[in-house]
Each structure stands twice: as C-alpha cells, then as structure tokens.
PDB file of all heavy atoms in Angstrom:
ATOM      1  N   THR L   1     -18.512  45.111 -17.530  1.00  0.00           N
ATOM      2  CA  THR L   1     -19.371  43.925 -17.163  1.00  0.00           C
ATOM      3  C   THR L   1     -20.049  43.215 -18.329  1.00  0.00           C
ATOM      4  O   THR L   1     -19.987  42.015 -18.605  1.00  0.00           O
ATOM      5  CB  THR L   1     -20.446  44.367 -16.135  1.00  0.00           C
ATOM      6  OG1 THR L   1     -19.809  44.922 -14.937  1.00  0.00           O
ATOM      7  CG2 THR L   1     -21.179  43.143 -15.732  1.00  0.00           C
ATOM      8  N   LEU L   2     -20.686  44.100 -19.174  1.00  0.00           N
ATOM      9  CA  LEU L   2     -21.414  43.594 -20.447  1.00  0.00           C
ATOM     10  C   LEU L   2     -20.307  42.915 -21.328  1.00  0.00           C
ATOM     11  O   LEU L   2     -20.647  41.858 -21.943  1.00  0.00           O
ATOM     12  CB  LEU L   2     -22.251  44.626 -21.033  1.00  0.00           C
ATOM     13  CG  LEU L   2     -23.432  45.240 -20.218  1.00  0.00           C
ATOM     14  CD1 LEU L   2     -24.015  46.407 -21.109  1.00  0.00           C
ATOM     15  CD2 LEU L   2     -24.322  44.128 -19.906  1.00  0.00           C
ATOM     16  N   GLY L   3     -19.197  43.657 -21.646  1.00  0.00           N
ATOM     17  CA  GLY L   3     -18.235  43.019 -22.506  1.00  0.00           C
ATOM     18  C   GLY L   3     -17.605  41.786 -21.937  1.00  0.00           C
ATOM     19  O   GLY L   3     -17.348  40.797 -22.774  1.00  0.00           O
ATOM     20  N   THR L   4     -17.325  41.813 -20.639  1.00  0.00           N
ATOM     21  CA  THR L   4     -16.775  40.640 -20.043  1.00  0.00           C
ATOM     22  C   THR L   4     -17.640  39.337 -20.145  1.00  0.00           C
ATOM     23  O   THR L   4     -17.229  38.340 -20.444  1.00  0.00           O
ATOM     24  CB  THR L   4     -16.322  40.903 -18.617  1.00  0.00           C
ATOM     25  OG1 THR L   4     -15.361  41.933 -18.583  1.00  0.00           O
ATOM     26  CG2 THR L   4     -15.778  39.616 -18.018  1.00  0.00           C
ATOM     27  N   LEU L   5     -18.896  39.618 -19.866  1.00  0.00           N
ATOM     28  CA  LEU L   5     -19.878  38.460 -20.042  1.00  0.00           C
ATOM     29  C   LEU L   5     -19.838  37.884 -21.480  1.00  0.00           C
ATOM     30  O   LEU L   5     -20.050  36.696 -21.580  1.00  0.00           O
ATOM     31  CB  LEU L   5     -21.317  38.997 -19.644  1.00  0.00           C
ATOM     32  CG  LEU L   5     -21.450  39.312 -18.194  1.00  0.00           C
ATOM     33  CD1 LEU L   5     -22.874  39.766 -17.823  1.00  0.00           C
ATOM     34  CD2 LEU L   5     -21.186  38.255 -17.324  1.00  0.00           C
ATOM     35  N   LEU L   6     -19.811  38.803 -22.463  1.00  0.00           N
ATOM     36  CA  LEU L   6     -19.837  38.324 -23.967  1.00  0.00           C
ATOM     37  C   LEU L   6     -18.542  37.556 -24.134  1.00  0.00           C
ATOM     38  O   LEU L   6     -18.618  36.323 -24.651  1.00  0.00           O
ATOM     39  CB  LEU L   6     -19.926  39.493 -24.860  1.00  0.00           C
ATOM     40  CG  LEU L   6     -19.941  39.171 -26.281  1.00  0.00           C
ATOM     41  CD1 LEU L   6     -21.051  38.216 -26.654  1.00  0.00           C
ATOM     42  CD2 LEU L   6     -19.925  40.495 -27.055  1.00  0.00           C
ATOM     43  N   THR L   7     -17.428  38.141 -24.003  1.00  0.00           N
ATOM     44  CA  THR L   7     -16.196  37.477 -24.258  1.00  0.00           C
ATOM     45  C   THR L   7     -15.813  36.184 -23.359  1.00  0.00           C
ATOM     46  O   THR L   7     -15.364  35.243 -23.993  1.00  0.00           O
ATOM     47  CB  THR L   7     -15.038  38.503 -24.189  1.00  0.00           C
ATOM     48  OG1 THR L   7     -14.955  39.010 -22.858  1.00  0.00           O
ATOM     49  CG2 THR L   7     -15.176  39.557 -25.220  1.00  0.00           C
ATOM     50  N   SER L   8     -16.211  36.321 -22.236  1.00  0.00           N
ATOM     51  CA  SER L   8     -15.758  35.176 -21.300  1.00  0.00           C
ATOM     52  C   SER L   8     -16.768  34.095 -21.602  1.00  0.00           C
ATOM     53  O   SER L   8     -16.242  32.790 -21.552  1.00  0.00           O
ATOM     54  CB  SER L   8     -16.055  35.561 -19.815  1.00  0.00           C
ATOM     55  OG  SER L   8     -15.066  36.589 -19.493  1.00  0.00           O
ATOM     56  N   SER L   9     -18.002  34.209 -21.865  1.00  0.00           N
ATOM     57  CA  SER L   9     -18.867  33.114 -22.284  1.00  0.00           C
ATOM     58  C   SER L   9     -18.335  32.442 -23.583  1.00  0.00           C
ATOM     59  O   SER L   9     -18.561  31.165 -23.739  1.00  0.00           O
ATOM     60  CB  SER L   9     -20.277  33.550 -22.327  1.00  0.00           C
ATOM     61  OG  SER L   9     -20.522  34.682 -23.392  1.00  0.00           O
ATOM     62  N   MET L  10     -18.081  33.293 -24.587  1.00  0.00           N
ATOM     63  CA  MET L  10     -17.553  32.750 -25.879  1.00  0.00           C
ATOM     64  C   MET L  10     -16.315  31.955 -25.676  1.00  0.00           C
ATOM     65  O   MET L  10     -16.226  30.783 -26.267  1.00  0.00           O
ATOM     66  CB  MET L  10     -17.411  33.887 -26.852  1.00  0.00           C
ATOM     67  CG  MET L  10     -18.676  34.547 -27.278  1.00  0.00           C
ATOM     68  SD  MET L  10     -18.340  36.155 -28.294  1.00  0.00           S
ATOM     69  CE  MET L  10     -17.706  35.314 -29.741  1.00  0.00           C
ATOM     70  N   ALA L  11     -15.383  32.411 -24.956  1.00  0.00           N
ATOM     71  CA  ALA L  11     -14.108  31.724 -24.707  1.00  0.00           C
ATOM     72  C   ALA L  11     -14.412  30.458 -23.779  1.00  0.00           C
ATOM     73  O   ALA L  11     -13.785  29.395 -24.122  1.00  0.00           O
ATOM     74  CB  ALA L  11     -13.093  32.562 -23.965  1.00  0.00           C
ATOM     75  N   ALA L  12     -15.332  30.513 -22.821  1.00  0.00           N
ATOM     76  CA  ALA L  12     -15.615  29.368 -22.086  1.00  0.00           C
ATOM     77  C   ALA L  12     -16.229  28.306 -22.882  1.00  0.00           C
ATOM     78  O   ALA L  12     -15.858  26.979 -22.791  1.00  0.00           O
ATOM     79  CB  ALA L  12     -16.549  29.711 -20.859  1.00  0.00           C
ATOM     80  N   TYR L  13     -17.095  28.618 -23.667  1.00  0.00           N
ATOM     81  CA  TYR L  13     -17.752  27.588 -24.579  1.00  0.00           C
ATOM     82  C   TYR L  13     -16.588  26.994 -25.669  1.00  0.00           C
ATOM     83  O   TYR L  13     -16.676  25.800 -25.814  1.00  0.00           O
ATOM     84  CB  TYR L  13     -18.816  28.294 -25.468  1.00  0.00           C
ATOM     85  CG  TYR L  13     -19.535  27.344 -26.408  1.00  0.00           C
ATOM     86  CD1 TYR L  13     -20.344  26.216 -25.868  1.00  0.00           C
ATOM     87  CD2 TYR L  13     -19.288  27.409 -27.794  1.00  0.00           C
ATOM     88  CE1 TYR L  13     -20.966  25.301 -26.883  1.00  0.00           C
ATOM     89  CE2 TYR L  13     -19.990  26.582 -28.671  1.00  0.00           C
ATOM     90  CZ  TYR L  13     -20.878  25.629 -28.143  1.00  0.00           C
ATOM     91  OH  TYR L  13     -21.437  24.614 -28.997  1.00  0.00           O
ATOM     92  N   ALA L  14     -15.824  27.852 -26.035  1.00  0.00           N
ATOM     93  CA  ALA L  14     -14.751  27.257 -27.031  1.00  0.00           C
ATOM     94  C   ALA L  14     -13.779  26.281 -26.162  1.00  0.00           C
ATOM     95  O   ALA L  14     -13.536  25.260 -26.822  1.00  0.00           O
ATOM     96  CB  ALA L  14     -13.933  28.488 -27.522  1.00  0.00           C
ATOM     97  N   PHE L  15     -13.470  26.613 -25.082  1.00  0.00           N
ATOM     98  CA  PHE L  15     -12.504  25.810 -24.264  1.00  0.00           C
ATOM     99  C   PHE L  15     -13.182  24.489 -23.861  1.00  0.00           C
ATOM    100  O   PHE L  15     -12.550  23.392 -23.684  1.00  0.00           O
ATOM    101  CB  PHE L  15     -11.993  26.431 -23.082  1.00  0.00           C
ATOM    102  CG  PHE L  15     -10.778  27.284 -23.360  1.00  0.00           C
ATOM    103  CD1 PHE L  15     -10.824  28.721 -23.106  1.00  0.00           C
ATOM    104  CD2 PHE L  15      -9.685  26.747 -23.907  1.00  0.00           C
ATOM    105  CE1 PHE L  15      -9.750  29.471 -23.349  1.00  0.00           C
ATOM    106  CE2 PHE L  15      -8.557  27.626 -24.257  1.00  0.00           C
ATOM    107  CZ  PHE L  15      -8.600  28.876 -23.988  1.00  0.00           C
ATOM    108  N   ALA L  16     -14.547  24.606 -23.709  1.00  0.00           N
ATOM    109  CA  ALA L  16     -15.240  23.428 -23.128  1.00  0.00           C
ATOM    110  C   ALA L  16     -15.772  22.479 -24.113  1.00  0.00           C
ATOM    111  O   ALA L  16     -15.820  21.285 -23.983  1.00  0.00           O
ATOM    112  CB  ALA L  16     -16.439  23.893 -22.315  1.00  0.00           C
ATOM    113  N   ARG L  17     -16.090  22.988 -25.454  1.00  0.00           N
ATOM    114  CA  ARG L  17     -16.771  22.175 -26.389  1.00  0.00           C
ATOM    115  C   ARG L  17     -15.928  22.039 -27.762  1.00  0.00           C
ATOM    116  O   ARG L  17     -16.026  21.072 -28.367  1.00  0.00           O
ATOM    117  CB  ARG L  17     -17.994  22.711 -26.702  1.00  0.00           C
ATOM    118  CG  ARG L  17     -19.125  22.544 -25.614  1.00  0.00           C
ATOM    119  CD  ARG L  17     -19.454  21.020 -25.615  1.00  0.00           C
ATOM    120  NE  ARG L  17     -20.716  20.839 -24.666  1.00  0.00           N
ATOM    121  CZ  ARG L  17     -20.629  20.488 -23.358  1.00  0.00           C
ATOM    122  NH1 ARG L  17     -19.538  20.319 -22.984  1.00  0.00           N
ATOM    123  NH2 ARG L  17     -21.877  20.300 -22.844  1.00  0.00           N
ATOM    124  N   ILE L  18     -15.310  23.075 -28.121  1.00  0.00           N
ATOM    125  CA  ILE L  18     -14.590  22.928 -29.384  1.00  0.00           C
ATOM    126  C   ILE L  18     -13.189  22.342 -29.306  1.00  0.00           C
ATOM    127  O   ILE L  18     -12.401  22.762 -28.511  1.00  0.00           O
ATOM    128  CB  ILE L  18     -14.494  24.472 -30.108  1.00  0.00           C
ATOM    129  CG1 ILE L  18     -15.852  25.071 -30.198  1.00  0.00           C
ATOM    130  CG2 ILE L  18     -13.818  24.331 -31.412  1.00  0.00           C
ATOM    131  CD1 ILE L  18     -15.912  26.536 -30.772  1.00  0.00           C
ATOM    132  N   ARG L  19     -12.963  21.313 -30.186  1.00  0.00           N
ATOM    133  CA  ARG L  19     -11.668  20.652 -29.997  1.00  0.00           C
ATOM    134  C   ARG L  19     -10.759  21.335 -31.072  1.00  0.00           C
ATOM    135  O   ARG L  19     -11.038  21.509 -32.302  1.00  0.00           O
ATOM    136  CB  ARG L  19     -11.917  19.191 -30.461  1.00  0.00           C
ATOM    137  CG  ARG L  19     -12.844  18.421 -29.359  1.00  0.00           C
ATOM    138  CD  ARG L  19     -12.887  16.983 -29.879  1.00  0.00           C
ATOM    139  NE  ARG L  19     -13.598  16.189 -28.885  1.00  0.00           N
ATOM    140  CZ  ARG L  19     -13.269  15.635 -27.743  1.00  0.00           C
ATOM    141  NH1 ARG L  19     -11.976  15.788 -27.401  1.00  0.00           N
ATOM    142  NH2 ARG L  19     -14.000  15.011 -26.986  1.00  0.00           N
ATOM    143  N   PHE L  20      -9.732  21.776 -30.543  1.00  0.00           N
ATOM    144  CA  PHE L  20      -8.523  22.286 -31.339  1.00  0.00           C
ATOM    145  C   PHE L  20      -7.278  21.961 -30.817  1.00  0.00           C
ATOM    146  O   PHE L  20      -7.102  21.611 -29.618  1.00  0.00           O
ATOM    147  CB  PHE L  20      -8.776  23.925 -31.522  1.00  0.00           C
ATOM    148  CG  PHE L  20      -8.803  24.601 -30.161  1.00  0.00           C
ATOM    149  CD1 PHE L  20      -7.659  25.078 -29.541  1.00  0.00           C
ATOM    150  CD2 PHE L  20     -10.102  24.819 -29.562  1.00  0.00           C
ATOM    151  CE1 PHE L  20      -7.589  25.745 -28.266  1.00  0.00           C
ATOM    152  CE2 PHE L  20     -10.057  25.418 -28.326  1.00  0.00           C
ATOM    153  CZ  PHE L  20      -8.898  25.864 -27.727  1.00  0.00           C
ATOM    154  N   PHE L  21      -6.250  22.208 -31.590  1.00  0.00           N
ATOM    155  CA  PHE L  21      -4.876  21.599 -31.164  1.00  0.00           C
ATOM    156  C   PHE L  21      -4.428  22.383 -29.986  1.00  0.00           C
ATOM    157  O   PHE L  21      -4.327  23.675 -29.969  1.00  0.00           O
ATOM    158  CB  PHE L  21      -3.862  21.870 -32.440  1.00  0.00           C
ATOM    159  CG  PHE L  21      -2.478  21.437 -32.050  1.00  0.00           C
ATOM    160  CD1 PHE L  21      -2.059  20.086 -31.946  1.00  0.00           C
ATOM    161  CD2 PHE L  21      -1.567  22.505 -31.835  1.00  0.00           C
ATOM    162  CE1 PHE L  21      -0.664  19.796 -31.671  1.00  0.00           C
ATOM    163  CE2 PHE L  21      -0.190  21.999 -31.447  1.00  0.00           C
ATOM    164  CZ  PHE L  21       0.134  20.740 -31.326  1.00  0.00           C
ATOM    165  N   GLY L  22      -3.869  21.672 -29.020  1.00  0.00           N
ATOM    166  CA  GLY L  22      -3.405  22.231 -27.742  1.00  0.00           C
ATOM    167  C   GLY L  22      -4.312  22.848 -26.824  1.00  0.00           C
ATOM    168  O   GLY L  22      -4.026  23.869 -26.065  1.00  0.00           O
ATOM    169  N   ARG L  23      -5.615  22.496 -26.868  1.00  0.00           N
ATOM    170  CA  ARG L  23      -6.700  23.133 -26.143  1.00  0.00           C
ATOM    171  C   ARG L  23      -6.364  23.031 -24.641  1.00  0.00           C
ATOM    172  O   ARG L  23      -6.437  24.148 -23.960  1.00  0.00           O
ATOM    173  CB  ARG L  23      -8.021  22.401 -26.315  1.00  0.00           C
ATOM    174  CG  ARG L  23      -9.167  23.023 -25.650  1.00  0.00           C
ATOM    175  CD  ARG L  23     -10.569  22.456 -25.894  1.00  0.00           C
ATOM    176  NE  ARG L  23     -10.508  21.045 -25.449  1.00  0.00           N
ATOM    177  CZ  ARG L  23     -11.619  20.199 -25.459  1.00  0.00           C
ATOM    178  NH1 ARG L  23     -12.743  20.717 -25.932  1.00  0.00           N
ATOM    179  NH2 ARG L  23     -11.620  19.080 -25.061  1.00  0.00           N
ATOM    180  N   GLY L  24      -5.956  21.941 -24.200  1.00  0.00           N
ATOM    181  CA  GLY L  24      -5.658  21.886 -22.755  1.00  0.00           C
ATOM    182  C   GLY L  24      -4.480  22.718 -22.323  1.00  0.00           C
ATOM    183  O   GLY L  24      -4.404  23.405 -21.188  1.00  0.00           O
ATOM    184  N   PHE L  25      -3.421  22.753 -23.174  1.00  0.00           N
ATOM    185  CA  PHE L  25      -2.265  23.567 -22.883  1.00  0.00           C
ATOM    186  C   PHE L  25      -2.559  24.997 -22.825  1.00  0.00           C
ATOM    187  O   PHE L  25      -2.182  25.833 -21.962  1.00  0.00           O
ATOM    188  CB  PHE L  25      -1.094  23.305 -23.921  1.00  0.00           C
ATOM    189  CG  PHE L  25      -0.049  24.221 -23.920  1.00  0.00           C
ATOM    190  CD1 PHE L  25       1.010  24.160 -22.981  1.00  0.00           C
ATOM    191  CD2 PHE L  25       0.051  25.376 -24.791  1.00  0.00           C
ATOM    192  CE1 PHE L  25       2.030  25.084 -22.879  1.00  0.00           C
ATOM    193  CE2 PHE L  25       1.159  26.150 -24.730  1.00  0.00           C
ATOM    194  CZ  PHE L  25       2.177  26.092 -23.624  1.00  0.00           C
ATOM    195  N   TRP L  26      -3.337  25.503 -23.720  1.00  0.00           N
ATOM    196  CA  TRP L  26      -3.625  26.933 -23.990  1.00  0.00           C
ATOM    197  C   TRP L  26      -4.585  27.320 -22.717  1.00  0.00           C
ATOM    198  O   TRP L  26      -4.391  28.466 -22.304  1.00  0.00           O
ATOM    199  CB  TRP L  26      -4.292  27.377 -25.247  1.00  0.00           C
ATOM    200  CG  TRP L  26      -3.379  27.153 -26.433  1.00  0.00           C
ATOM    201  CD1 TRP L  26      -3.484  26.361 -27.447  1.00  0.00           C
ATOM    202  CD2 TRP L  26      -2.200  28.031 -26.700  1.00  0.00           C
ATOM    203  NE1 TRP L  26      -2.461  26.455 -28.302  1.00  0.00           N
ATOM    204  CE2 TRP L  26      -1.700  27.458 -27.823  1.00  0.00           C
ATOM    205  CE3 TRP L  26      -1.567  29.053 -25.934  1.00  0.00           C
ATOM    206  CZ2 TRP L  26      -0.453  28.129 -28.439  1.00  0.00           C
ATOM    207  CZ3 TRP L  26      -0.433  29.597 -26.466  1.00  0.00           C
ATOM    208  CH2 TRP L  26       0.127  29.130 -27.756  1.00  0.00           C
ATOM    209  N   PHE L  27      -5.406  26.417 -22.290  1.00  0.00           N
ATOM    210  CA  PHE L  27      -6.264  26.702 -21.218  1.00  0.00           C
ATOM    211  C   PHE L  27      -5.483  26.898 -19.928  1.00  0.00           C
ATOM    212  O   PHE L  27      -5.705  27.765 -19.158  1.00  0.00           O
ATOM    213  CB  PHE L  27      -7.347  25.762 -21.023  1.00  0.00           C
ATOM    214  CG  PHE L  27      -8.431  26.023 -19.959  1.00  0.00           C
ATOM    215  CD1 PHE L  27      -9.267  27.204 -19.991  1.00  0.00           C
ATOM    216  CD2 PHE L  27      -8.358  25.273 -18.854  1.00  0.00           C
ATOM    217  CE1 PHE L  27     -10.050  27.399 -19.021  1.00  0.00           C
ATOM    218  CE2 PHE L  27      -9.261  25.586 -17.825  1.00  0.00           C
ATOM    219  CZ  PHE L  27     -10.150  26.575 -17.854  1.00  0.00           C
ATOM    220  N   MET L  28      -4.605  25.953 -19.723  1.00  0.00           N
ATOM    221  CA  MET L  28      -3.588  26.024 -18.505  1.00  0.00           C
ATOM    222  C   MET L  28      -2.774  27.251 -18.613  1.00  0.00           C
ATOM    223  O   MET L  28      -2.628  27.978 -17.618  1.00  0.00           O
ATOM    224  CB  MET L  28      -2.738  24.728 -18.470  1.00  0.00           C
ATOM    225  CG  MET L  28      -3.566  23.517 -18.132  1.00  0.00           C
ATOM    226  SD  MET L  28      -4.532  23.603 -16.667  1.00  0.00           S
ATOM    227  CE  MET L  28      -3.239  23.877 -15.467  1.00  0.00           C
ATOM    228  N   LEU L  29      -2.314  27.566 -19.738  1.00  0.00           N
ATOM    229  CA  LEU L  29      -1.445  28.898 -19.913  1.00  0.00           C
ATOM    230  C   LEU L  29      -2.367  30.077 -19.609  1.00  0.00           C
ATOM    231  O   LEU L  29      -1.965  31.023 -18.948  1.00  0.00           O
ATOM    232  CB  LEU L  29      -0.884  28.932 -21.298  1.00  0.00           C
ATOM    233  CG  LEU L  29       0.009  30.183 -21.498  1.00  0.00           C
ATOM    234  CD1 LEU L  29       1.333  29.949 -20.626  1.00  0.00           C
ATOM    235  CD2 LEU L  29       0.483  30.129 -23.026  1.00  0.00           C
ATOM    236  N   PHE L  30      -3.557  30.022 -20.051  1.00  0.00           N
ATOM    237  CA  PHE L  30      -4.661  31.112 -19.775  1.00  0.00           C
ATOM    238  C   PHE L  30      -4.877  31.269 -18.317  1.00  0.00           C
ATOM    239  O   PHE L  30      -4.884  32.373 -17.737  1.00  0.00           O
ATOM    240  CB  PHE L  30      -5.824  30.832 -20.483  1.00  0.00           C
ATOM    241  CG  PHE L  30      -6.907  31.869 -20.703  1.00  0.00           C
ATOM    242  CD1 PHE L  30      -6.561  33.037 -21.500  1.00  0.00           C
ATOM    243  CD2 PHE L  30      -7.982  31.892 -19.972  1.00  0.00           C
ATOM    244  CE1 PHE L  30      -7.438  33.991 -21.683  1.00  0.00           C
ATOM    245  CE2 PHE L  30      -8.962  32.926 -20.163  1.00  0.00           C
ATOM    246  CZ  PHE L  30      -8.596  34.044 -20.989  1.00  0.00           C
ATOM    247  N   LEU L  31      -4.924  30.117 -17.633  1.00  0.00           N
ATOM    248  CA  LEU L  31      -5.247  30.262 -16.041  1.00  0.00           C
ATOM    249  C   LEU L  31      -4.061  30.624 -15.385  1.00  0.00           C
ATOM    250  O   LEU L  31      -4.087  31.405 -14.276  1.00  0.00           O
ATOM    251  CB  LEU L  31      -5.659  28.937 -15.648  1.00  0.00           C
ATOM    252  CG  LEU L  31      -7.113  28.432 -16.015  1.00  0.00           C
ATOM    253  CD1 LEU L  31      -7.455  27.107 -15.330  1.00  0.00           C
ATOM    254  CD2 LEU L  31      -8.103  29.456 -15.615  1.00  0.00           C
ATOM    255  N   ALA L  32      -2.892  30.340 -15.942  1.00  0.00           N
ATOM    256  CA  ALA L  32      -1.596  30.690 -15.265  1.00  0.00           C
ATOM    257  C   ALA L  32      -1.330  32.189 -15.163  1.00  0.00           C
ATOM    258  O   ALA L  32      -0.703  32.655 -14.252  1.00  0.00           O
ATOM    259  CB  ALA L  32      -0.410  30.021 -15.930  1.00  0.00           C
ATOM    260  N   THR L  33      -2.104  32.857 -15.946  1.00  0.00           N
ATOM    261  CA  THR L  33      -1.899  34.351 -15.936  1.00  0.00           C
ATOM    262  C   THR L  33      -2.522  34.948 -14.695  1.00  0.00           C
ATOM    263  O   THR L  33      -2.250  36.095 -14.351  1.00  0.00           O
ATOM    264  CB  THR L  33      -2.530  35.035 -17.213  1.00  0.00           C
ATOM    265  OG1 THR L  33      -3.965  34.681 -17.208  1.00  0.00           O
ATOM    266  CG2 THR L  33      -1.860  34.559 -18.400  1.00  0.00           C
ATOM    267  N   MET L  34      -3.420  34.203 -14.066  1.00  0.00           N
ATOM    268  CA  MET L  34      -4.073  34.658 -12.745  1.00  0.00           C
ATOM    269  C   MET L  34      -3.100  34.852 -11.687  1.00  0.00           C
ATOM    270  O   MET L  34      -3.307  35.524 -10.675  1.00  0.00           O
ATOM    271  CB  MET L  34      -5.191  33.554 -12.379  1.00  0.00           C
ATOM    272  CG  MET L  34      -6.277  33.667 -13.367  1.00  0.00           C
ATOM    273  SD  MET L  34      -7.578  32.419 -12.931  1.00  0.00           S
ATOM    274  CE  MET L  34      -8.214  33.181 -11.322  1.00  0.00           C
ATOM    275  N   MET L  35      -1.978  34.151 -11.771  1.00  0.00           N
ATOM    276  CA  MET L  35      -0.974  34.187 -10.822  1.00  0.00           C
ATOM    277  C   MET L  35       0.099  35.366 -11.049  1.00  0.00           C
ATOM    278  O   MET L  35       0.875  35.633 -10.127  1.00  0.00           O
ATOM    279  CB  MET L  35      -0.065  32.891 -10.743  1.00  0.00           C
ATOM    280  CG  MET L  35      -0.966  31.597 -10.386  1.00  0.00           C
ATOM    281  SD  MET L  35       0.066  30.173 -10.257  1.00  0.00           S
ATOM    282  CE  MET L  35       0.560  29.828 -11.954  1.00  0.00           C
ATOM    283  N   VAL L  36      -0.096  36.116 -12.198  1.00  0.00           N
ATOM    284  CA  VAL L  36       0.783  37.096 -12.380  1.00  0.00           C
ATOM    285  C   VAL L  36       0.187  38.515 -11.721  1.00  0.00           C
ATOM    286  O   VAL L  36      -0.852  38.785 -12.193  1.00  0.00           O
ATOM    287  CB  VAL L  36       1.050  37.401 -13.887  1.00  0.00           C
ATOM    288  CG1 VAL L  36       1.870  38.618 -14.182  1.00  0.00           C
ATOM    289  CG2 VAL L  36       1.644  36.177 -14.579  1.00  0.00           C
ATOM    290  N   PRO L  37       0.953  39.094 -10.794  1.00  0.00           N
ATOM    291  CA  PRO L  37       0.316  40.359 -10.200  1.00  0.00           C
ATOM    292  C   PRO L  37       0.242  41.525 -11.354  1.00  0.00           C
ATOM    293  O   PRO L  37       0.961  41.513 -12.224  1.00  0.00           O
ATOM    294  CB  PRO L  37       1.393  40.832  -9.131  1.00  0.00           C
ATOM    295  CG  PRO L  37       2.184  39.526  -9.055  1.00  0.00           C
ATOM    296  CD  PRO L  37       2.262  38.803 -10.290  1.00  0.00           C
ATOM    297  N   ALA L  38      -0.779  42.271 -11.181  1.00  0.00           N
ATOM    298  CA  ALA L  38      -0.990  43.389 -12.146  1.00  0.00           C
ATOM    299  C   ALA L  38       0.059  44.343 -12.165  1.00  0.00           C
ATOM    300  O   ALA L  38       0.329  44.989 -13.211  1.00  0.00           O
ATOM    301  CB  ALA L  38      -2.395  44.105 -11.673  1.00  0.00           C
TER     302      ALA L  38
END
C-alpha cells in the first residue's frame, strides 16, 4: 500500500503534467494492461 501510493502518485503526476514524446500513447498502453488477466 505505501509503495503503491508513492509510485502511482509520481506516475500520475508525470502523465498529467509533464510533457514528453508519446505521452498519450504510453498512457493508453499503460491502461490497456488492465484488460490482461493475471
């Protein structure tokens, strides 16, 4: 829980505020992993 809060908040801030090449594509690819069964 503690580790997830740290890494998720940092990644969320990066995807929301920091502009980098392919940000939208990488975020959609990141979300697409939620459809892959464990």
Side-chain angles (χ1 to χ4, degrees):
T1 300
L2 296 177
T4 297
L5 292 179
L6 176 62
T7 57
S8 295
S9 60
M10 295 173 66
Y13 179 69
F15 278 121
R17 286 290 192 263
I18 302 177
R19 297 185 179 276
F20 54 89
F21 177 74
R23 181 178 65 173
F25 168 78
W26 291 116
F27 182 68
M28 294 301 297
L29 185 64
F30 196 70
L31 290 184
T33 59
M34 296 177 64
M35 297 184 292
V36 180

